[in-house]
Amino acid sequence: MNNFLLLPIIIPFFFGMILMFGQKNISYQRVTSLVGLLISIVCAFLLLLNVYENGPQVVTFGDWPVPFGITMVADSISSLLVLTTLTLAFFIVWYGFKSIGKEREQFFYYPGVMFIITGVNGAFTTGDIFNLFVFFEVLLMSSYLLIVLGGEKAQLRESIKYILVNVLSSAFFVITVAFLYSVVGTLNMADISIKIAELNQPGILTVIAVLFLLVFGMKAAIFPLYFWLPSAYAAPPIPVLALFGALLTKVGVYAIMRTYTLFFTHDLAYTHELLLILSVITILAGCIGALAHFDVKQIIIYNIVIAVGVILFGVAQMNEVALEGAMFYLIHDMIIKAALFMLIGIVIYVTGTTNLRKMGGLMKTYPALGWFYIIAAFGLAGVPPLSGFVGKLLIVQGGFEAGNLWSSVFILASSIAVLLSVIRIFIYAFWGEQGTISPNVNPSTYKGLFIPTMLLVFISVAYGVGTEWITPFMDHAAKMLIDPSIYTDAVMKGGE
Amino acid sequence: MEIVMAFVCGFLFMAAMYLILSRSLLRIIIGTGLLSHGAHLLILTMGSFGGSAPPVLADGVTDYVDPLPQALILTAIVISFGVTAFFLVLAYRAYHELKTDDMTLMKGSEHDE
């Protein structure tokens, strides 16, 4: 049954709709959203296995032949990302039970989460460039709701900036799609790829490639366009921040990955060189930010920027090893960022402050939290048995193979800055003299926050230790990225 | 005709950027309105102005306007309506809470200890 690939989009959408009713009944809201996410996770997992066995799954709405209808495509890249998205959403929603607060829960928090998942999954699985824009708007609109929900002063102030930046980048997206349509005359991604290959990418298409980098780079927070991210992400409460940090920028990264491996592969000397330079400066800017701040939220937020740079560095190499590394690192980073945000959320809960200088001595009172934090921190930096290692290894290996010696060495060096920035949180918050402790820490709330976080850290460890099992899926994904004809053949054939 | 439209779009983008870079929140929102007008006009222009009849099937007409850009614009218009409505209400609420509409005064001072 081919329509199966739509289920990870439709199920959260359906549950989002039924959650709109009974908004005051918190237990109904909680149970329904968890059940919805669980069903979607099962569907996404079955979809991943199906894609692995039978190749990319394609469905075109309304039985129209391929370039004329809207196509949805689930290849191994999309299905891996969809599964990761739903799993993270499950844990973040669970974590939110104890921390998001009753007022928000009664005011469409869970429908907002469900619709953001709909948008993210749709953006990962679509095969149509304008449909990608629509799914971007679905996820952005829900993110506007989630960022401002609660209406504190800081939230109002930052969401104005967040919305303004995203309105601008959406308008640029529309303009870029208009340019692309006037050159190739089609909106289907596989068809665009074929048409661009026939035209052999004249100068105007390189301009459009740079415009796409501008549009998606604004969503993904690459170097000159990341200015909005640190303050906007600091405003919402921790579960929302974890959802944004794990998913939203990664959608932009995925879109750059898709367009730069499927469409614009004929003028590598310009487009991918530009991507390479921008990704290196992105990492530099992120490292400076992560080391400069004494605010735990800001440190992890700047680590998002660093990770975006590392993944795009892998994409810029355009060889199979580096692209496989980029896929490994993308999934790893989604998991570990969610886990880190949840961990520092607990740290903020027990200390009552985000300022590192005021914290201290938590190792005596919360040893388990400290150990899990240190595991997550080592995982982020890429210490071998843990999850960040193999991705970065492959990216650097791909960088050496492509002859980018110095920038690959720079990627390795940036890991030290990442490690330093997160270990600094550990040293300040867990060692030393006793710092401030929040007066009303409730043990059951602490447990409710700690259990989902612990499970997520276990998943990230399993991802690192069980690399052998994941490698075949990643091989598939990397083959798909390096050779667009696999994708276009599957789509063009699938509609007949 | 496309040349004229290109200049009109360019002028709309210029005006939008000028307004977005100003200090008052309401002027910024007017700027985003102009920006979306410019983007929608650009889709129409980039679809080119060939064809003479509106894209509705009728007897004896063979020369239709390209229907695809019109569908794209319709989608983009309702999306920008939704976002603009949300943005306006947010601006209203922010004006009540923060007691200012000056973007330069909306700084994160009370939270950066």
Side-chain angles (χ1 to χ4, degrees):
Chain A
M1 194 176 67
N2 224 357
N3 288 340
F4 196 74
L5 76 96
L6 298 175
L7 288 183
I9 306 168
I10 291 177
I11 293 171
F13 183 56
F14 172 75
F15 276 91
M17 282 194 291
I18 62 169
L19 282 170
M20 305 272 268
F21 304 101
Q23 60 170 120
K24 297 293 174 202
N25 187 343
I26 291 181
S27 51
Y28 162 75
Q29 295 272 321
R30 288 180 174 178
V31 171
T32 316
S33 44
L34 276 195
V35 168
L37 285 169
L38 263 184
I39 298 173
S40 331
I41 290 172
V42 172
C43 290
F45 187 68
L46 294 176
L47 175 66
L48 179 64
L49 293 181
N50 190 3
V51 167
Y52 180 63
E53 275 166 22
N54 306 324
Q57 301 292 303
V58 179
V59 59
T60 305
F61 293 149
D63 265 347
W64 290 90
V66 156
F68 303 116
I70 289 177
T71 315
M72 303 299 277
V73 187
D75 53 9
S76 14
I77 311 158
S78 316
S79 36
L80 276 168
L81 288 167
V82 164
L83 180 62
T84 317
T85 302
L86 289 165
T87 315
L88 293 180
F90 178 81
F91 286 107
I92 292 169
V93 165
W94 183 5
Y95 180 90
F97 290 167
K98 292 289 182 192
S99 78
I100 195 76
K102 200 170 158 218
E103 290 76 17
R104 288 191 175 97
E105 281 186 293
Q106 286 183 334
F107 211 84
F108 303 112
Y109 167 71
Y110 294 112
V113 173
M114 285 305 190
F115 289 136
I116 210 171
I117 300 300
T118 311
V120 171
N121 282 349
F124 284 146
T125 22
T126 188
D128 183 286
I129 196 78
F130 196 75
N131 200 233
L132 180 66
F133 165 72
V134 175
F135 275 120
F136 262 120
E137 289 302 315
V138 171
L139 75 91
L140 285 174
M141 200 70 198
S142 338
S143 76
Y144 302 156
L145 167 75
L146 289 177
I147 199 171
V148 81
L149 190 63
E152 293 158 17
K153 276 186 179 169
Q155 281 183 308
L156 287 168
R157 203 176 51 217
E158 298 308 331
S159 52
I160 286 175
K161 298 168 196 167
Y162 178 74
I163 291 178
L164 180 60
V165 166
N166 280 303
V167 165
L168 277 175
S169 83
S170 297
F172 282 134
F173 197 173
V174 172
I175 292 165
T176 314
V177 169
F179 284 147
L180 188 63
Y181 178 70
S182 78
V183 178
V184 296
T186 177
L187 293 170
N188 183 295
M189 278 151 79
D191 202 24
I192 292 172
S193 170
I194 293 170
K195 292 264 161 56
I196 288 178
E198 280 168 6
L199 295 170
N200 203 16
Q201 199 165 345
I204 183 70
L205 279 166
T206 306
V207 174
I208 293 171
V210 175
L211 275 173
F212 267 122
L213 190 62
L214 181 81
V215 170
F216 297 136
M218 222 168 200
K219 318 254 186 218
I222 63 173
F223 158 63
L225 308 165
Y226 76 103
F227 53 87
W228 57 272
L229 182 121
S231 56
Y233 276 23
I238 291 290
V240 177
L241 171 59
L243 205 59
F244 283 18
L247 304 181
L248 292 196
T249 53
K250 305 305 181 297
V251 183
V253 172
Y254 163 79
I256 293 176
M257 217 166 171
R258 194 54 108 183
T259 49
Y260 272 63
T261 55
L262 189 60
F263 299 171
F264 308 113
T265 51
H266 307 278
D267 190 8
L268 295 181
Y270 188 84
T271 51
H272 287 63
E273 194 67 30
L274 180 68
L275 192 60
L276 180 85
I277 295 165
L278 286 182
S279 62
V280 167
I281 309 176
T282 306
I283 296 169
L284 191 64
C287 287
I288 292 170
L291 292 176
H293 279 276
F294 272 90
D295 180 307
V296 279
K297 276 190 192 175
Q298 292 294 336
I299 293 172
I300 310 293
I301 286 170
Y302 274 102
N303 271 299
I304 299 176
V305 179
I306 301 174
V308 165
V310 173
I311 298 164
L312 290 180
F313 180 82
V315 176
Q317 307 305 324
M318 266 325 253
N319 55 30
E320 199 175 327
V321 182
L323 285 169
E324 191 175 345
M327 275 308 292
F328 262 114
Y329 203 79
L330 180 56
I331 308 270
H332 144 76
D333 190 62
M334 291 168 83
I335 299 172
I336 203 79
K337 283 290 142 57
L340 275 172
F341 278 123
M342 286 154 84
L343 281 164
I344 62 155
I346 302 176
V347 171
I348 293 170
Y349 173 71
V350 297
T351 57
T353 174
T354 63
N355 190 340
L356 266 186
R357 289 195 184 93
K358 291 183 186 164
M359 298 176 182
L362 286 182
M363 205 62 183
K364 289 190 196 99
T365 34
Y366 298 98
L369 180 63
W371 289 112
F372 274 99
Y373 180 80
I374 199 88
I375 291 170
F378 281 149
L380 179 73
V383 174
L386 299 168
S387 61
F389 172 66
V390 65
K392 211 172 253 178
L393 177 74
L394 291 172
I395 287 175
V396 170
Q397 189 190 339
F400 283 141
E401 276 178 22
N404 296 314
L405 185 64
W406 286 111
S407 43
S408 305
V409 171
F410 175 76
I411 300 287
L412 288 176
S414 77
S415 303
I416 299 170
V418 170
L419 186 63
L420 179 58
S421 70
V422 281
I423 286 300
R424 223 166 39 134
I425 299 184
F426 182 76
I427 291 171
Y428 273 85
F430 289 94
W431 285 350
E433 295 293 305
Q434 186 66 50
T436 57
I437 286 282
S438 180
N440 43 7
V441 176
N442 183 344
S444 85
T445 308
Y446 174 77
K447 206 186 267 176
L449 295 173
F450 189 63
I451 290 169
T453 314
M454 188 178 73
L455 292 175
L456 201 53
V457 175
F458 276 134
I459 288 179
S460 89
V461 173
Y463 181 86
V465 176
T467 308
E468 286 289 316
W469 288 291
I470 309 162
T471 308
F473 297 99
M474 295 295 179
D475 274 340
H476 259 238
K479 286 208 175 64
M480 183 77 64
L481 286 169
I482 198 72
D483 184 6
S485 67
I486 303 177
Y487 182 90
T488 52
D489 286 351
V491 175
M492 290 322 234
K493 174 176 66 83
E496 276 163 15
Chain B
M1 190 60 186
E2 278 89 351
I3 300 287
V4 177
M5 285 308 218
F7 273 101
V8 174
C9 292
F11 185 79
L12 280 171
F13 290 146
M14 186 185 75
M17 283 305 150
Y18 178 75
L19 284 170
I20 285 170
L21 292 174
S22 62
R23 294 171 71 161
S24 154
L25 187 50
L26 212 51
R27 287 167 73 97
I28 290 173
I29 297 177
I30 293 171
T32 62
L34 287 182
L35 186 68
S36 59
H37 284 331
H40 299 155
L41 199 59
L42 191 77
I43 305 180
L44 198 67
T45 313
M46 292 316 242
S48 86
F49 293 116
S52 54
V56 181
L57 285 177
D59 287 336
V61 185
T62 49
D63 190 21
Y64 293 109
V65 173
D66 187 354
L68 193 62
Q70 302 193 6
L72 301 188
I73 293 168
L74 202 57
T75 314
I77 285 175
V78 291
I79 289 173
S80 68
F81 266 175
V83 175
T84 308
F86 190 90
F87 201 177
L88 279 167
V89 175
L90 181 69
Y92 176 74
R93 182 71 197 279
Y95 180 69
H96 267 250
E97 292 279 327
L98 304 171
K99 307 277 189 299
T100 177
D101 76 330
D102 189 338
M103 284 305 280
T104 53
L105 297 179
M106 290 192 192
K107 286 180 189 158
S109 47
E110 83 258 37
H111 279 267
D112 303 344
E113 295 143 284

